[in-house]
Amino acid sequence: MIPNPFFADVCTTPFEVVASQTVSALHEEVVRQVASAVEDLGERDAGAHTGKPLLLLTAPRAGYGKTHVLGRVAAVADTQALAMPLIFRSDAEVSWSAASLEAMDVLRRLPGRTPGWSRLREVCAGVLAGFMQKLIQGGRLPCANPEQAIRVLGGDPTELFRESSTARLIGDWLRRHFGQLRKPLSLAASELPGAGVMESWVDALFAYANHGTQATADTVVGLATGSRAAFQLWLRLVTTWRPVVLMVDHLDGFYRHEQAGLRIATILLDLADIDGVHVVLSLNQDVWQATFAHHLPSAVEDRLTASQFLLRGLTAEDASDLIRLRLKAAGCEHEAVHFLAFMDVPRHFQGRPLGSVSARAFLRHAAQQWAIYQRTDAGQQTQVVENAPIVAEKQAPDTIPSLLDLESSDEEESDATETEPEVSIFSGTDTEQMQKAAEGLTEPRHAMVDTPFSLVPSLAAAGASLAAMSSPFLAMSAAPIASPFTEAAPPPPRAPETQPQAPGAMEHLRDMVEKLRATHPVQLVPAPEEALPPPTHVAEAATSFNTERPATAASAPVRSNPSAEALQSRFEGLRQMMGREAQLHPLDHAKLGELIRLAGKRFPLVKQDEIDLMQLPGRKVLRWTVQNLEILFGLADLGDTQYWRTLSINACARANELQGLPLKPHEAPPQVKLVTFKSDMEALAWTSIIASDVFPAALRPNIEALHLDLRSIASLYAMHRIIGEAESGSLSATPSQVMSVLARELDFFWKRVTRPLGNAAA
C-alpha cells in the first residue's frame, strides 16, 4: 500500500518548504510584492535605499499557509537577499536582547547552500568580501586587476575560504595579509551609521569565515546580541553585502498579551526603518485583533497596516494542482487522474464561499479520501463500472464515477442492474471512514456542500448535530436544534420504494449512501414554481424529493443557490450602511441584547435564562450557562452606575454560591464571567468606571469588556437588521436561512464571548 501523501499538513518553519510541492498560483501576489521590495532594496547604484513599509500578512485562522508563504519568500530571496527569521518567545521577556539572540541562533544552526557551512558563516564571508570590494572600488586597496577581483568578490564568498575553488588565490592572499588589511577593513566598516571602533567586528567575521569553529561563531553572536544598538549594527553590516528580509511568525503564544504586542510592534517598526531591511509580519486575525489591533497607539497601528495582505484559501484549481504535486512527490503520479475523479474536487468546493477552504483543511480531507481510495479494491471498482453500461457511457473512460452519480444512475436504470451479481463494495470500516470524510465537508463551517441554506425545516433540523460540532453560531443555521436541553426531533421517515430493487452491487451502494444521508443529510430545494408543502407533510415531501421524483431540471439538486448570493450581497450592503451609524453613535446595547437572546435560543450547548437584579425591580440580566461557566451580559450604558454596581453585587453573590456547591473529586467549581461591550466612544467611560469602586477587587479578574471596532459593530447591526427583515417577511428568507448563509460573519464575536475565563483574563 502506498503511504498517504497528504499526512504532512503543517509547515513549522519557512525553510522546510519544498518547491516541487508548491502551487505557484496560490498567494502569488504577496510573494511578488516581497520580491519587488527585495529588488528595490538591492538597487544600490540607483542612490539611497531605505526600508520598505512593513508587510502585514494575516490569515482568517490557522492553516491558510502563512508559514508556507514565508518559505516561498525565503526561496525567492535566497539568491538576492538574506531571509532571516526573527523569533519572539512567549515564555521569555520581549526585548532586543532575547529577539536578537534567537535570530542569531537560527542563523548559526541553519545550513547554508555550501555543504558544511552554516548560514551565519556564509554571511560573515559575504560581509568581508563586500568590504574588500568597497576598498578596491574606492582605490584604497591596490590591486593589479581590479575588475577581475571585484567580479570574483561579487560571486560566492565561501569560495574565498574553500580549498580547490576558483577564488582560492584571493583567499590565500587575504589570509597572508590580513594583519595589514585589518585596519582598512575596520575603517570601511566604521562608515556605517551607529558604528564605532570596528576592529573587533572585522576580527570576528574573518575568524568565523576562515575557521568555522564553535568558538568563533560564539564571538560573532556575542557581538550581535545584547542590545538594540548591537543587533541593528549587525543588520547594517549584512546589508553592505545583501538586503535583509526579516520574517516574524508564530506569535500565537502572545494572544491577548497587549503589552507584549506593543513591544513587538515597536521593535519591528524600528527594524523596518533600517536601510536595506524589509520586515514581514505574519499572524492570524484572532491574534491581530486580541493583541495588536485596538491596543496600539494609532500612529503605531497605522504604520503596521500601511502594507497588508489577507491570505485567501484554495480554489478548486489550486486544490487539484496540490493533489497532483503531492502524488508526484510520493512517486504515484499515475494515480492522479483516478484519485481526482474519486475525490471529485469540484464537488467539495460547491456551495463554499470563494477562498474559504484552507490548504490544511483540504489536505486533511484528502488524507481521509486517500485512505478510503487505497482500501477500495480496484478489481471490484472495475466490475461495478462494467456492470453499469449506461453509467459508463456518461463517464469518461479513464475516470471513476462518483458515489452520487452511481446512485442516481441506479434510480434511472434499475432494469439494467437486475441481473448484476452480488458484489461487496464497501466494508463496515469503509462506511465509517466515508462518514468521517463527509464530516470534512463542513469546512468552512458556514456553507455545506450544495446547501447554502435549505427551504425544508425538517432537513435543516436533521443537520443541526453536525453544525453544533463547529463554531457556536453555526448551530443557529438550523431550527429546531437538538441540544442537551431539548429533546431531539426524530429523523424524517424514509419514503417507501416505488420500484422493486434487485439484489446486487447498486443496492448495497444505495444502502451505504442512505446511511450517510441519515448522518449528514443533503438538503435539497424544491422547484421554484411549486409551493412549499404544509408543515405536517414536510418530512414526507422532503423524502420524495430524494427518492421518488424523476431527475428533471426543476427537481435536480441546486449546486449554486442565487438566494445565498443575494443574502450575502444584502448583508454587505447593510454593513456598509451601518458603518456610518457605528461611527456617529454610541454602542446600541439593545440591538446587541436582541442578537444575543436569539443566539442563546439556538445554540445547542447553551442554556439561556434571565435573572432578576436585586435592588433594581424590573431590571434583569441575561445569563448563558456553557459547560462549567456562567456568562452574565452587562448591557447598559456605562454611565448608569447604579446598574453596574447592582450587577457586580449579584455577580459576586452568584460566584460565592457556585464556590459552595458540592463537587466531585478533581472537579473544578463553576465560574462566573461578566461580559460587556465597548467601542471607541465608550473607552473613556470604561476607563472611568473600572478605576472607580463599582467593581469589587474579587470580581475584576472575572470581567471582560470586549472592544468592538467599527467593522465589527457594523456587522452586528447588519445581522440584527437582516434578521428583522426576515422575521417581518420583507426578505424572501427565514431567519434560520439567514443565519445558515451568514453564520461565519459573526463567528469572531461568539468565540470571544464564550471563551473560557482563563483566556479572557489573560
Side-chain angles (χ1 to χ4, degrees), residues 58-62 64 284-286 310-312 355 744:
T58 61
R61 60 180 180 275
Y64 276 73
N284 294 323
Q285 286 183 335
D286 55 349
L310 176 63
L311 293 186
R312 297 295 183 184
R744 191 177 178 187

Side-chain angles (χ1 to χ4, degrees), residues 88-311:
F88 295 94
R89 295 177 58 90
S90 58
D91 57 349
E93 181 186 2
V94 178
S95 63
W96 283 96
S97 176
S100 59
L101 185 61
E102 289 288 340
M104 296 299 292
D105 188 56
V106 170
L107 282 184
R108 177 165 53 180
R109 291 183 287 104
L110 197 64
R113 289 179 296 174
T114 301
W117 281 60
S118 69
R119 189 67 57 92
L120 179 60
R121 188 181 179 189
E122 288 181 348
V123 173
C124 292
V127 172
L128 274 179
F131 282 138
M132 292 183 65
Q133 276 185 299
K134 187 175 181 180
L135 292 176
I136 294 174
Q137 289 171 343
R140 290 178 286 178
L141 184 62
C143 183
N145 192 343
E147 292 80 6
Q148 182 180 1
I150 291 175
R151 178 177 55 81
V152 172
L153 292 171
D156 184 0
T158 64
E159 294 188 354
L160 296 173
F161 304 94
R162 287 191 289 126
E163 297 292 337
S164 66
S165 66
T166 56
R168 180 183 177 183
L169 293 178
I170 296 180
D172 291 342
W173 178 82
L174 174 62
R175 281 186 285 268
R176 286 195 307 269
H177 300 89
F178 179 73
Q180 298 173 337
L181 293 172
R182 183 169 175 266
K183 188 166 186 177
L185 290 172
S186 301
L187 292 175
S190 300
E191 297 173 1
L192 295 173
V197 178
M198 298 296 294
E199 291 184 1
S200 58
W201 261 111
V202 171
D203 291 341
L205 293 174
F206 174 76
Y208 187 40
N210 189 31
H211 302 292
T213 61
Q214 184 69 28
T216 54
D218 291 340
T219 303
V220 175
V221 171
L223 290 173
T225 58
S227 67
R228 173 178 178 269
F231 189 57
Q232 290 189 345
L233 180 57
W234 158 255
L235 292 177
R236 291 189 177 98
L237 284 170
V238 177
T239 57
T240 62
W241 174 53
R242 283 182 178 176
V244 177
V245 179
L246 292 176
M247 302 181 297
V248 185
D249 195 13
H250 302 303
L251 296 180
D252 304 275
F254 293 98
Y255 185 77
R256 290 188 58 79
H257 289 191
E258 296 89 351
Q259 294 301 320
L262 176 59
R263 184 63 176 158
I264 291 172
T266 54
I267 289 176
L268 297 184
L269 290 177
D270 279 350
L271 293 173
D273 285 337
I274 300 176
D275 292 348
V277 174
H278 186 53
V279 180
V280 182
L281 172 60
S282 167
L283 71 173
N284 294 323
Q285 286 183 335
D286 55 349
V287 179
W288 167 255
Q289 291 290 339
T291 308
F292 295 92
H294 306 294
H295 312 287
L296 301 175
S298 58
V300 175
E301 183 178 355
D302 182 67
R303 292 184 61 193
L304 281 180
T305 57
S307 178
Q308 55 182 323
F309 192 94
L310 176 63
L311 293 186

Side-chain angles (χ1 to χ4, degrees), residues 667-690:
E667 182 182 7
Q671 294 181 307
V672 173
K673 174 182 173 183
L674 178 57
V675 174
T676 187
F677 310 96
K678 62 183 178 68
S679 65
D680 291 336
M681 289 189 178
E682 287 82 18
L684 184 60
W686 176 253
T687 303
S688 175
I689 194 173
I690 201 67

Side-chain angles (χ1 to χ4, degrees), residues 256 587-589 592-593 596 621-622 631-640 643-644 647 673-679 682-683 685-687 689-690 695 699-700 702-708 716 749 752-755 760:
R256 290 188 58 79
L587 197 61
D588 192 333
H589 290 92
L592 293 181
I596 292 171
V621 60
L622 190 63
I631 304 174
L632 303 179
F633 292 94
L635 300 171
D637 185 87
L638 293 175
D640 190 350
Y643 169 86
W644 291 103
L647 178 58
K673 174 182 173 183
L674 178 57
V675 174
T676 187
F677 310 96
K678 62 183 178 68
S679 65
E682 287 82 18
W686 176 253
T687 303
I689 194 173
I690 201 67
F695 299 113
L699 183 64
R700 290 175 182 267
N702 297 38
I703 301 175
E704 182 173 16
L706 301 181
H707 187 94
L708 302 174
L716 293 167
F749 183 72
R752 295 172 66 186
V753 166
T754 57
R755 62 188 164 196

Side-chain angles (χ1 to χ4, degrees), residues 330-404:
C332 45
E333 188 176 7
H334 59 283
E335 298 279 356
V337 173
H338 294 279
F339 183 60
L340 284 171
F342 178 84
M343 277 195 66
D344 198 356
V345 174
R347 185 186 297 275
H348 183 76
F349 283 81
Q350 285 175 351
R352 302 178 188 271
L354 184 64
S356 62
V357 179
S358 69
R360 183 175 301 164
F362 179 77
L363 283 173
R364 290 175 180 176
H365 170 65
Q368 293 176 341
Q369 293 291 319
W370 179 261
I372 300 170
Y373 176 78
Q374 286 291 91
R375 285 198 301 270
T376 303
D377 185 78
Q380 293 180 353
Q381 288 187 11
T382 306
Q383 186 173 359
V384 171
V385 176
E386 290 175 351
N387 290 334
I390 296 180
V391 176
E393 291 176 4
K394 296 180 180 180
Q395 300 289 338
D398 58 345
T399 61
I400 300 175
S402 66
L403 297 180
L404 295 183

Side-chain angles (χ1 to χ4, degrees), residues 613-616 640-652 689 692-696 699:
L613 284 177
M614 296 182 298
Q615 303 175 358
L616 279 182
D640 190 350
T641 308
Q642 185 181 10
Y643 169 86
W644 291 103
R645 194 182 299 275
T646 305
L647 178 58
S648 65
I649 293 174
N650 281 263
C652 289
I689 194 173
S692 66
D693 60 348
V694 170
F695 299 113
L699 183 64

